[in-house]
Amino acid sequence: MKTVAIIGAGAAGCFCAAELRRMAPDVAITVFEAGSRPMAKLAITGGGRCNLTNDFEGIRSLSDAYPRGERVMKRALKAFSNDDTIRWFTERGVPCTLQEDHCWFPCSQDAMDVVRCLLRAMDGADIRVSTPVSSIKELKDSFDYVVVTTGGMSKGASMFEGLDLEIVPPVPSLFTLNIPDKSLTALMGLVVDASISIPGTSFKADGPLLITDWGVSGPAALKLSSYAARYLAECQYKATVAINWLDRNENEVREMLRKSASESPQKQISNTPLLQQRLWEHIISKAGLRPDIRWAELGSKGLNRLTAVLTQDTYPVSGKGKFKEEFVTAGGIGLSNIDLSTLESKKYPGLFFAGEVLDIDAITGGFNLQAAWSTGYVCARSILNSFSYI
């Protein structure tokens, strides 16, 4: 009988175990989990609702969704796609619904339905909780195959000692930005569709931007933190961001302002907002304009200043969000260590990797969970292929 050890009872590890049980029920599977229960993180992801995957609409290149790991994910998604994910859970009693933001959730909006579904699919595997693995090298001597699915590598890197593997230093990803500007944070609660970038770099993201009492959050800020994760870490989270409040180019914004001026020359600018009123008044103030100024009084200099603030409103970043809410890390086992098609170690036959332990991460939770499902599936299939089971 073939034996498989899976280190980590998170999304990737449990899905790998479930697929091994489905494809080869006589394979002996042991899952080692350092925590007190399996899938603890999965149970609270998406605010406890579990964003299973994304429909990938609007993703022009996989690098837009996966800043790190695009080449692996291109292969993995061919093996097990987002459509396969929805089909898999639906067939096992977890119907899913697609939201307007392109995210798939269980219809029940309850992550525990996903956890219970995976536990049922793993039935027959030996799950050992509160059982950390101290040495992969030693474990490998006792099992035919070992699959490492330990999640982000901010902890537990010691288990890799004795193995000649390149490890990309982990840094946080998917976090909010601390902006100590009281005039901005006074607008807390406002949400605006905008783009946010880091001047002097290519890092830019768009989407809903939420103003908080400590800075900015929402999909746009989180995507930017993902794209720029390593850059921001190197800067010790001291940087400048620029917000384009209308997410339009300078010429388009200038024409919008000229149109307002020609249509309502005697109206006060503050009474003809192009954005939510509180935000519009903040922008007028940042442009150095009087609150009672009329469009006819704006002039070319005033027009240029207002255009500049609307399209390139800069703020200092002084750290990550105060709640340390990042759930994802960039970094992990370097992709140069593995066969990109099978996810098996090039140096150590029978050793596989799946999920966030690899140097793969994405711009939202749904894309990250899809990486877990896809890579977990690839590992299961590769193991079975290795002894010609399927």
Side-chain angles (χ1 to χ4, degrees):
M1 177 185 292
K2 297 292 184 180
T3 58
V4 179
I6 297 175
I7 309 173
C14 290
F15 195 76
C16 181
E19 281 298 280
L20 283 169
R21 291 293 300 152
R22 180 183 69 84
M23 291 189 265
D26 58 341
V27 170
I29 304 164
T30 305
V31 183
F32 296 91
E33 168 56 40
S36 59
R37 57 193 176 97
M39 294 176 279
K41 182 176 173 181
L42 184 64
I44 61 173
T45 188
R49 298 187 301 131
C50 192
N51 177 194
L52 280 166
T53 188
N54 190 287
D55 70 0
F56 284 74
E57 184 174 332
I59 300 299
R60 296 159 297 184
S61 166
L62 273 184
S63 62
D64 291 342
Y66 296 96
R68 289 151 292 272
E70 173 191 9
R71 290 189 301 149
V72 169
M73 288 308 302
K74 186 175 182 178
R75 292 169 170 82
L77 285 166
K78 286 182 178 179
F80 194 86
S81 70
N82 54 320
D83 291 334
D84 292 326
T85 295
I86 299 308
R87 188 179 306 112
W88 196 95
F89 282 101
T90 300
E91 289 175 351
R92 289 160 179 79
V94 184
C96 303
T97 181
L98 180 63
Q99 297 188 166
E100 290 183 3
D101 60 359
H102 309 296
C103 296
W104 281 98
F105 284 85
C107 289
S108 65
Q109 303 289 298
D110 186 354
M112 285 306 299
D113 283 347
V114 178
V115 171
R116 286 188 286 265
C117 174
L118 285 166
L119 287 173
R120 289 193 300 270
M122 294 168 64
D123 187 38
D126 179 13
I127 305 174
R128 302 181 185 180
V129 297
S130 302
T131 310
V133 172
S134 58
S135 171
I136 293 174
K137 194 172 183 180
E138 291 179 9
L139 189 69
K140 200 170 178 299
D141 293 337
S142 303
F143 289 84
D144 295 313
Y145 302 92
V146 174
V147 186
V148 183
T149 62
T150 49
M153 288 190 63
S154 55
K155 296 179 181 178
S158 60
M159 74 173 68
F160 296 97
E161 290 180 3
L163 297 176
D164 183 19
L165 296 171
E166 177 205 0
I167 296 178
V168 180
V171 296
S173 183
L174 291 188
F175 50 84
T176 62
L177 302 174
N178 187 353
I179 297 177
D181 185 308
K182 292 183 179 179
S183 66
L184 179 70
T185 56
L187 304 173
M188 63 177 290
L190 289 184
V191 179
V192 58
D193 284 323
S195 62
I196 183 169
S197 61
I198 300 176
T201 76
S202 61
F203 302 122
K204 179 182 178 181
D206 55 26
L209 186 71
L210 169 65
I211 303 174
T212 69
D213 64 343
W214 68 87
V216 292
S217 183
L222 295 175
K223 283 194 289 185
L224 183 69
S225 77
S226 178
Y227 294 143
R230 201 158 294 283
Y231 172 87
L232 289 170
E234 291 170 356
C235 295
Q236 297 183 318
Y237 305 99
K238 306 290 184 183
T240 297
V241 294
I243 300 173
N244 184 324
W245 292 107
L246 294 168
D247 195 17
R248 299 191 180 192
N249 66 45
E250 188 175 307
N251 289 335
E252 289 176 321
V253 172
R254 186 174 281 105
E255 284 307 309
M256 290 175 65
L257 296 176
R258 284 174 176 160
K259 183 179 180 181
S260 294
S262 64
E263 291 178 348
S264 309
Q266 297 308 313
K267 288 191 71 173
Q268 292 184 0
I269 291 177
S270 59
N271 291 336
T272 50
L274 298 184
L275 292 160
Q276 297 170 67
Q277 187 66 43
R278 285 196 296 153
L279 177 57
W280 182 240
E281 291 172 359
H282 167 74
I283 288 167
I284 291 171
S285 175
K286 281 210 72 176
L289 302 173
R290 302 192 325 270
D292 61 348
I293 192 172
R294 301 178 188 278
W295 285 105
E297 303 174 84
L298 188 59
S300 60
K301 289 184 178 179
L303 180 71
N304 289 338
R305 291 206 302 271
L306 193 53
T307 299
V309 175
L310 282 166
T311 58
Q312 194 80 356
D313 191 10
T314 59
Y315 296 92
V317 174
S318 65
K320 297 188 272 79
K322 60 184 180 181
F323 297 118
K324 298 182 179 179
E325 71 293 313
E326 62 269 7
F327 264 47
V328 178
T329 57
I333 298 297
L335 302 183
S336 61
N337 296 285
I338 64 169
D339 181 313
L340 299 186
S341 296
T342 64
L343 304 185
E344 185 175 17
S345 168
K346 293 177 180 178
K347 293 183 178 180
Y348 305 101
L351 178 62
F352 294 81
F353 300 91
E356 197 186 340
V357 71
L358 289 165
D359 187 19
I360 300 174
D361 64 282
I363 58 174
T364 66
F367 289 114
N368 279 299
L369 273 182
Q370 183 59 54
W373 313 135
S374 295
T375 57
Y377 174 87
V378 169
C379 285
R381 188 188 65 179
S382 299
I383 288 170
L384 300 181
N385 278 339
S386 73
F387 55 89
S388 301
Y389 204 101
I390 59 174

